[in-house]
Amino acid sequence: MKRRLLLLILLMLLLSIPILPARAQAPERSEAFVYAVTAYDGLVYQSAFVPPNIETLYLMAGVENVLAARDTLIYFWDLTNRYEPDWLAKNIPIEGTLEISQHGKQIAEVHPTDYVIQYDTEQPIETRALFTGQAAVDAYARFLELQNDYRDASYLYYTLLETYRKVVDEIVASGKTIPAEDFPKPPQPPAQLTLYSSEIARGYVVNLPPGSYSLTLRLPDGSLVPGSQRSLVVFTELDEGISYTIMPETRWTRPDKSMIEGSTIYTLPDNTLYLQPFIQKKYNDQAYARMLDPQDMISRRDQERWVTFVPYNSASLAVFGGEQSTIEMEGYKIVQLAGSGLGYEVRPFDPESMDSSSFEGFKISLTSNSDAVNIFLLDKNGNMVPGSRREVRTLYTDRSVGLYALSLLPILAGLVAHFARSRWVKRIKVEG
Amino acid sequence: MTNATLPPHASRIGNSTRNAVVLHSARVLAARSVWSIFFSKGVYILLGVAFLSGALILHNSLRAAERTLIYTATLPQIVPLLVISFLVATFLALLSALHIARERDRGTYEILLFGPVNAAAFILGEFLAQTIVFGMVVIATFVWINLVTWLLHLSYNLKIIVVLLQAIGMAAAVSGMGILTATLGQRTRSALVYLTLIIIFMVGIQAGDDVVSTMLAIGGQPGQALLFLRNALALVANIIEWVSPFAQMMLGVDALTNNDFLSVAAHLLITITQAFIYLSLAVILLDRKGARG
């Protein structure tokens, strides 16, 4: 009886232990319709993935963006709280007609087309191009041709270099003295191929004015693709201007930024600053963030953000205050000081004796004679670049005692008021 | 305002004369309150504390500049100005709530009603007094900020004057809020407690929203709980900003920093509307409740 009771208790204890779920190493995948977005971010094209739980897509206005409809496998990744696609497991493009509507009225039908994105990596903004249809095929063929030409030129260069080395080795081995003008010239390497090209892909090219739209994909048989209906917000920049990266000479590795026009850059007396101007644009925080990452949860609709793009190089800096002058952008080289101690010096870049510059910028030195200057950029035609105006001032950090002394003025005023009232009250005579 | 609350002889006089009587009464009551505040220690001590807080904030910026050698700002004077305005406006709102509630508590308000005073004159008088005192504080702050600007060699901008104008609007609305709370509360203590709780709630939600948003922005991948909290706070903050003069002031200053002068004007207009609504509600409530309500 006792034994049976013990067995029963043991059995109950075993049953009371919660069954722990087996921890799967690979999360469960499910089939889903998704959009793959190739969106222009103001500088380059970036790819993003829109899972079924994201209802709204964000794209920039007035530029060509590409949407691709895919049937793929997705899974939820706990560590990042995000859905991820498994493109390798399944990636089937869905071709049909992308219907775009606004205020309940269809405004466009977009059919899939070939596309290629190309740009010069040294000037991405100016040379960015999205080719579609036959132009995409031609552009990609041209890119392959350039790639082949570069490969052939590189092959030729290395062959000539090999030959050149052999000739030089022979000259050295012979021990002859050859005049410099008779010495063989080394071959010149071919110019780098700076053109970037994506491969030919298919997608729905969308170029819309700012506004709110809805999207849906219709198959050739007339049926709608389940899950393809989404909202689309097309936005534009709210403002544009110039930001400055500011590097103090004695602290060039810790730069600061000045983003807002009319703001002031404070520094200490007798300090030298280097300013680098950049093109920047202001966007709605949520629209921009969700264009780059549709699953973003941090950005806010009621906030704005400045996005910095490429350096604004073709300009000079006008300086007003003290003496009026125009400063040209120059290259500077950081040179480590000789010896075992730490230290460096910022020197003007000299192409004769230096390989490359460490940075390019405008040098501004504030002295005791000129402790506040106004600056702005001048473009090639000598016109002021909008959004580039700033003030640079020295800050008197050694006067904090005076700052606190000034704050005691109300207490003094209160004492004066108190004594004045006391005297006034004393003068009151109560008759009778 | 109804004829029932006006003094007996008022029913026999015309509208323009009645308005003149109300305004005169309000002016007399305002003058009484202004002198009372002017000769009290509280406002000077508070202004001293507010200026010291502003000085501490600026000193902090100086220390940062000494370390980094650069300090970029649109107007370093704005944060101290905000702190000074918030502190003084809150103090004056508490003071106005205290005055109104105490006059009702002690029965002085009932006695005033036997003279040429009605609810509108009583409320307007208190409101005018607080606005005049805040106007004087703004003049003192303007002098202080100019001295500080000269002392530290800060950049001077007319935007400082716009911030001070916004502060006057904000203080008027906060004062209106204080007066309304005092008419809602039955006793002096409860009026002060309600007002304190309302201000803490408004400023707390705003600050919490900012803090959690900043945490999310710098914290990398956020947890669901923090996201939920941020969204809830943002939602409440978005609703509160329509009734909170503090939120309107912050939004106005943000717009000013971004050179969006249209938004600055819009936020100032909303603040003035808030003040008008709070005062109108206070008059209606006091009218309905009467002297002993």
Side-chain angles (χ1 to χ4, degrees):
Chain A
M1 184 66 189
K2 219 176 197 177
R3 205 171 160 187
R4 276 187 183 176
L5 188 68
L6 274 172
L7 273 172
L8 190 68
I9 290 169
L10 193 66
L11 187 68
M12 284 176 76
L13 276 171
L14 279 172
L15 286 173
S16 68
I17 295 170
I19 298 163
L20 293 171
R23 281 268 173 200
Q25 292 298 311
E28 195 181 325
R29 281 142 169 80
S30 60
E31 199 169 311
F33 170 88
V34 300
Y35 283 106
V37 182
T38 305
Y40 179 64
D41 72 354
L43 182 65
V44 292
Y45 279 93
Q46 298 219 32
S47 298
F49 146 78
V50 187
N53 65 317
I54 300 297
E55 290 174 0
T56 308
L57 283 75
Y58 293 84
L59 294 173
M60 243 182 225
V63 285
E64 288 178 319
N65 297 284
V66 186
L67 300 176
R70 310 260 176 210
D71 185 11
T72 187
L73 296 182
I74 61 166
Y75 58 94
F76 188 74
W77 190 239
D78 282 333
L79 296 177
T80 53
N81 279 328
R82 296 164 63 90
Y83 281 96
E84 298 291 346
D86 190 347
W87 298 121
L88 290 176
K90 191 175 188 184
N91 184 6
I92 301 170
I94 301 175
E95 299 222 339
T97 306
L98 189 70
E99 295 177 352
I100 303 173
S101 309
Q102 192 174 34
H103 309 307
K105 190 180 165 190
Q106 188 175 314
I107 58 156
E109 282 187 355
V110 186
H111 299 282
T113 181
D114 291 335
Y115 72 93
V116 149
I117 296 161
Q118 292 187 345
Y119 56 85
D120 189 323
T121 49
E122 289 183 349
Q123 290 176 303
I125 285 192
E126 295 87 345
T127 57
R128 163 193 60 88
L130 185 137
F131 299 98
T132 57
Q134 187 53 44
V137 178
D138 295 344
Y140 192 66
R142 203 163 49 243
F143 169 73
L144 290 179
E145 202 177 313
L146 284 172
Q147 220 176 20
N148 288 338
D149 289 349
Y150 178 71
R151 189 195 56 208
D152 294 345
S154 297
Y155 180 76
L156 182 66
Y157 166 69
Y158 286 112
T159 311
L160 289 172
L161 194 67
E162 189 67 29
T163 314
Y164 170 77
R165 279 181 186 149
K166 278 181 187 167
V167 171
V168 171
D169 286 348
E170 280 170 14
I171 292 169
V172 172
S174 67
K176 287 179 190 170
T177 307
I178 297 174
E181 60 269 21
D182 293 344
F183 198 81
K185 300 276 183 295
Q188 293 302 308
Q192 285 288 325
L193 179 63
T194 54
L195 182 70
Y196 163 82
S197 176
S198 66
E199 290 185 355
I200 294 178
R202 278 182 78 75
Y204 303 88
V205 179
V206 176
N207 185 348
L208 293 165
S212 295
Y213 305 87
S214 63
L215 298 174
T216 193
L217 188 64
R218 195 177 289 280
L219 292 171
D221 64 5
S223 63
L224 291 175
V225 177
S228 67
Q229 190 162 4
R230 306 288 169 92
S231 297
L232 172 66
V233 173
V234 179
F235 65 97
T236 189
E237 72 252 25
L238 305 170
D239 198 1
E240 56 185 308
I242 297 290
S243 73
Y244 291 93
T245 297
I246 314 140
M247 294 177 286
E249 189 171 47
T250 51
R251 213 179 143 89
W252 80 281
T253 51
R254 304 300 292 270
D256 201 349
K257 277 200 159 193
S258 171
M259 312 285 279
I260 299 169
E261 186 186 20
S263 63
T264 308
I265 300 161
Y266 291 99
T267 185
L268 301 189
D270 302 318
N271 200 19
T272 299
L273 302 176
Y274 296 92
L275 271 64
Q276 292 177 297
F278 287 85
I279 294 168
Q280 64 171 3
K281 291 182 180 175
K282 186 157 73 176
Y283 298 99
N284 177 279
D285 183 43
Q286 189 168 76
Y288 194 82
R290 292 196 175 172
M291 175 188 72
L292 301 179
D293 177 11
Q295 295 185 72
D296 162 79
M297 298 297 285
I298 298 170
S299 60
R300 287 182 62 150
R301 195 171 45 186
D302 58 352
Q303 303 283 321
E304 293 163 352
R305 68 156 78 172
W306 281 105
V307 182
T308 300
F309 295 111
V310 287
Y312 194 103
N313 286 328
S314 47
S316 49
L317 189 77
V319 182
F320 289 87
E323 291 172 13
Q324 184 180 331
S325 61
T326 306
I327 303 172
E328 296 302 324
M329 187 178 277
E330 285 180 39
Y332 293 92
K333 180 84 176 171
I334 308 296
V335 181
Q336 295 295 325
L337 294 178
S340 59
L342 295 171
Y344 64 86
E345 194 180 356
V346 181
R347 288 183 191 163
F349 173 62
D350 176 15
E352 297 292 319
S353 60
M354 298 169 181
D355 295 336
S356 61
S357 61
S358 304
F359 66 86
E360 288 188 337
F362 299 107
K363 181 180 178 180
I364 291 184
S365 298
L366 291 183
T367 59
S368 50
N369 296 330
S370 163
D371 55 5
V373 293
N374 283 296
I375 57 165
F376 56 82
L377 286 180
L378 293 170
D379 65 13
K380 286 175 193 166
N381 304 320
N383 299 320
M384 186 175 117
V385 177
S388 66
R389 191 174 53 81
R390 301 288 192 280
E391 191 180 8
V392 185
R393 295 178 79 89
T394 53
L395 196 59
Y396 299 150
T397 55
D398 53 346
R399 295 182 175 178
S400 49
V401 177
L403 185 63
Y404 288 108
L406 283 176
S407 307
L408 295 173
L409 287 178
I411 307 290
L412 284 176
L415 286 172
V416 170
H418 175 73
F419 287 120
R421 188 167 187 262
S422 301
R423 285 186 67 182
W424 183 56
V425 169
K426 277 179 191 169
R427 280 183 197 166
I428 296 171
K429 291 176 182 172
V430 181
E431 290 179 359
Chain B
M1 180 176 30
T2 62
N3 280 341
T5 58
L6 282 168
H9 63 273
S11 58
R12 295 193 298 274
I13 58 177
N15 273 341
S16 58
T17 317
R18 191 185 303 151
N19 289 341
V21 169
V22 167
L23 278 176
H24 176 73
S25 310
R27 271 205 304 270
V28 172
L29 289 170
R32 186 190 62 160
S33 289
V34 167
W35 283 114
S36 160
I37 297 169
F38 185 70
F39 284 122
S40 70
K41 293 170 198 160
V43 72
Y44 298 101
I45 293 171
L46 183 93
L47 199 55
V49 170
F51 282 2
L52 277 173
S53 309
L56 196 69
I57 292 164
L58 282 170
H59 188 202
N60 217 29
S61 304
L62 298 181
R63 293 282 303 277
E66 277 176 341
R67 286 185 186 176
T68 57
L69 303 178
I70 324 166
Y71 172 59
T72 56
T74 306
L75 269 179
Q77 299 95 323
I78 282 184
V79 180
L81 274 182
L82 282 174
V83 171
I84 293 166
S85 309
F86 282 8
L87 283 174
V88 178
T90 306
F91 172 75
L92 291 178
L94 286 167
L95 214 58
S96 59
L98 185 74
H99 283 175
I100 297 270
R102 204 161 48 188
E103 302 252 29
R104 290 176 64 207
D105 238 7
R106 291 180 176 174
T108 337
Y109 174 59
E110 193 175 3
I111 295 166
L112 283 172
L113 288 180
F114 285 103
V117 172
N118 61 3
F122 181 62
I123 298 273
L124 194 63
E126 191 56 41
F127 173 73
L128 276 176
Q130 306 305 330
T131 311
I132 289 166
V133 171
F134 193 82
M136 287 157 77
V137 167
V138 161
I139 292 168
T141 309
F142 182 69
V143 172
W144 181 80
I145 214 80
N146 276 287
L147 287 171
V148 165
T149 300
W150 163 79
L151 186 76
L152 303 179
H153 198 235
L154 299 174
S155 176
Y156 192 76
N157 197 309
L158 289 177
K159 283 178 181 176
I160 288 174
I161 296 170
V162 181
V163 175
L164 289 172
L165 284 176
Q166 285 177 312
I168 293 175
M170 185 264 295
V174 176
S175 181
M177 208 164 70
I179 291 168
L180 176 63
T181 318
T183 55
L184 283 168
Q186 292 292 323
R187 300 262 165 209
T188 308
R189 191 187 295 171
S190 59
L192 290 180
V193 169
Y194 288 158
L195 182 60
T196 310
L197 287 177
I198 289 169
I199 290 172
I200 289 174
F201 179 69
M202 282 179 173
V203 178
I205 290 287
Q206 205 72 35
D209 182 29
D210 286 346
V211 168
V212 175
S213 292
T214 310
M215 278 168 65
L216 280 173
I218 59 174
Q221 198 58 42
Q224 287 294 336
L226 201 59
L227 274 174
F228 176 78
L229 180 66
R230 196 284 303 265
N231 292 342
L233 281 171
L235 180 72
V236 180
N238 281 341
I239 296 166
I240 281 179
E241 73 185 29
W242 291 100
V243 291
S244 166
F246 302 108
Q248 287 301 323
M249 171 96 188
M250 290 298 294
L251 291 170
V253 167
D254 278 350
L256 191 67
T257 311
N258 291 318
N259 301 318
D260 185 357
F261 295 100
L262 204 65
S263 289
V264 173
H267 290 299
L268 190 59
L269 196 68
I270 293 171
T271 317
I272 292 166
T273 311
Q274 284 174 343
F276 180 75
I277 291 171
Y278 290 143
L279 288 174
S280 304
L281 286 174
V283 171
I284 293 166
L285 265 172
L286 200 60
D287 237 1
R288 284 194 183 165
K289 282 186 165 184
R292 296 177 184 180

